Amino acid sequence: MTQIREFDGTPSDYETLVNLHNQLWEDKDPLESNQLMKDDEKRKSEHIFRRFFADVNGQAVGYGEFNHNARRHHPQRFWVTVAVMDTHRKQGIGQHLFDTLLAIMQTDYHANELHTRTTESRPDGIRFLEKCGFREVKRQWENHLSLQDFDESLFNGFDRQMDSLGITIKNLSELMAQDDDALYKVYELHQLLTRDVPNPVQQTKADYDSWREGYSSDYADFLPDSNFIAYHDNEYIGLTSFWGNPSADKLYVGLTGVKRDYRRNGIATALKLRGLEFAKVFGIPQLITFSHSNAMLQLNLKLGFKIHATDILFMQTL
């Protein structure tokens, strides 16, 4: 018999959740209990977040959760996850979990909009979401690049092209050393550029203090030397960011973007080339990024990235 119980926040439940997640999502980076606890502690009280386990004979075989997304916050909009072990699928457990979450979201929080995602490689998951009333609203692509396959000779001349346009590219460490307001200027540019990331829901502007937490020495994956900014006449016009641990075997490429008036001048390519140069200097073998638009996907493919997985985003209006 399946029993749905709420996550209680104990170390034991964190271990149970991490073990389930790492088995269910083997193709994703593994979770660690301590890091997950720290992330949960940082959540704002006004952002609802609840988790549940599906137990069979006292053993957790699946979990479900719903939460507010701080970057796209609305009190009645929730992001939902439901996952069940392969050994216990097609027994109604996932449906039981989803129905439980849905009832709580509607009764306690008057939810009227739900979001979730799965990957193209999980057809059972797609069918389940469609059965639950979700519809596809967007696709994004996980791209991988092996640095040993990157041919930098194909991109000679981009530095000269930037010089001819009067555009300078520096890393964040250099800019912060010469401009006390550099970090705030990057914040303003970042918030402007995120509005152009294709998404079915409007991005909520992050407050500076919250945003800055990810750009401080307290955040282990922040690399000021691998965040590159393009500027023209002292105006910050484009950026790209590489995140992770240089001693590891990979880095992640975050937001890359250019102000609209400066697009189609090769600036995004020049920015990413600086990031690739940084990765090669440190001997990092692999880069991972996510393309949210066909234009950025085409740029990544031009640089040698290959599509590793396709994420499908779903939405349901209640």
Side-chain angles (χ1 to χ4, degrees):
M1 182 176 177
T2 303
Q3 178 186 2
I4 307 298
R5 65 178 178 88
E6 188 156 10
F7 176 85
D8 62 14
T10 61
S12 174
D13 263 7
Y14 270 105
E15 285 296 332
T16 298
L17 177 64
V18 165
N19 289 334
L20 270 175
H21 177 277
N22 292 343
Q23 291 180 69
L24 286 162
W25 307 98
E26 293 178 340
D27 54 338
K28 304 295 184 183
D29 284 346
L31 285 181
E32 295 182 0
S33 295
N34 290 338
Q35 186 58 52
L36 185 58
M37 288 181 190
K38 291 178 182 177
D39 292 342
D40 285 351
E41 289 170 358
K42 293 178 181 178
R43 297 182 188 278
K44 293 184 177 181
S45 59
E46 65 267 28
H47 294 159
I48 303 300
F49 190 94
R50 293 177 70 177
R51 295 188 180 107
F52 297 81
F53 289 117
D55 287 351
V56 175
N57 298 326
Q59 179 182 359
V61 299
Y63 73 94
E65 58 188 38
F66 62 84
N67 64 280
H68 284 144
N69 185 319
R71 294 184 178 181
R72 299 172 183 88
H73 181 253
H74 185 282
Q76 293 170 282
R77 177 186 298 140
F78 290 90
W79 270 255
V80 185
T81 299
V82 171
V84 177
M85 296 291 292
D86 288 348
T87 53
H88 288 77
R89 289 182 184 166
K90 298 184 179 180
Q91 299 177 27
I93 297 174
Q95 190 68 56
H96 189 11
L97 259 173
F98 177 74
D99 290 344
T100 301
L101 301 184
L102 181 61
I104 294 172
M105 285 186 285
Q106 290 186 296
T107 302
D108 293 359
Y109 309 108
H110 309 291
N112 61 21
E113 185 179 301
L114 307 182
H115 295 257
T116 190
R117 68 174 60 194
T118 189
T119 59
E120 192 177 48
S121 61
R122 293 180 168 87
D124 287 349
I126 294 172
R127 286 191 291 270
F128 172 76
L129 293 175
E130 291 174 342
K131 178 184 175 184
C132 290
F134 287 90
R135 58 183 176 85
E136 178 181 335
V137 291
K138 177 190 169 185
R139 294 194 175 213
Q140 63 186 33
W141 301 270
E142 180 179 340
N143 311 145
H144 291 196
L145 173 64
S146 172
L147 265 295
Q148 67 179 8
D149 297 334
F150 174 63
D151 185 358
E152 57 190 329
S153 67
L154 298 175
F155 301 93
N156 290 333
F158 271 88
D159 287 341
R160 292 192 300 274
Q161 183 175 336
M162 295 301 103
D163 290 341
S164 69
L165 295 169
I167 293 169
T168 302
I169 295 176
K170 289 188 177 182
N171 68 42
L172 188 53
S173 291
E174 295 172 307
L175 291 174
M176 290 174 69
Q178 69 185 44
D179 184 354
D180 292 339
D181 294 327
L183 195 57
Y184 188 80
K185 291 177 181 178
V186 172
Y187 158 74
E188 290 285 359
L189 177 61
H190 187 278
Q191 296 305 296
L192 175 67
L193 295 176
T194 53
R195 297 178 196 169
D196 289 338
V197 176
N199 202 293
V201 178
Q202 179 63 45
Q203 184 93 355
T204 304
K205 185 174 181 178
D207 66 86
Y208 178 60
D209 289 338
S210 297
W211 177 89
R212 190 176 179 178
E213 290 179 3
Y215 283 76
S216 72
S217 57
D218 293 335
Y219 187 61
D221 289 340
F222 172 54
L223 303 171
D225 290 349
S226 68
N227 279 248
F228 296 93
I229 292 86
Y231 62 94
H232 179 258
D233 291 340
N234 295 319
E235 177 188 1
Y236 288 18
I237 62 171
L239 61 79
T240 191
S241 52
F242 286 59
W243 303 84
N245 185 342
S247 65
D249 60 355
K250 60 189 172 186
L251 287 182
Y252 287 87
V253 187
L255 177 68
T256 300
V258 177
K259 283 186 175 181
R260 293 184 179 184
D261 291 347
Y262 287 89
R263 290 176 188 170
R264 302 186 184 279
N265 288 302
I267 301 171
T269 302
L271 283 163
K272 283 205 170 185
L273 288 172
R274 289 291 298 273
L276 267 59
E277 179 183 330
F278 172 90
K280 291 195 75 170
V281 167
F282 278 92
I284 296 162
Q286 186 181 50
L287 297 177
I288 300 174
T289 189
F290 295 85
S291 302
H292 296 267
S293 70
N294 279 312
M296 192 53 67
L297 174 63
Q298 294 308 313
L299 170 56
N300 288 331
L301 294 177
K302 182 175 75 172
L303 290 168
F305 283 86
K306 299 185 185 303
I307 296 175
H308 177 75
T310 301
D311 284 351
I312 308 176
L313 280 63
F314 291 84
M315 188 174 97
Q316 177 178 173
T317 301
L318 301 176

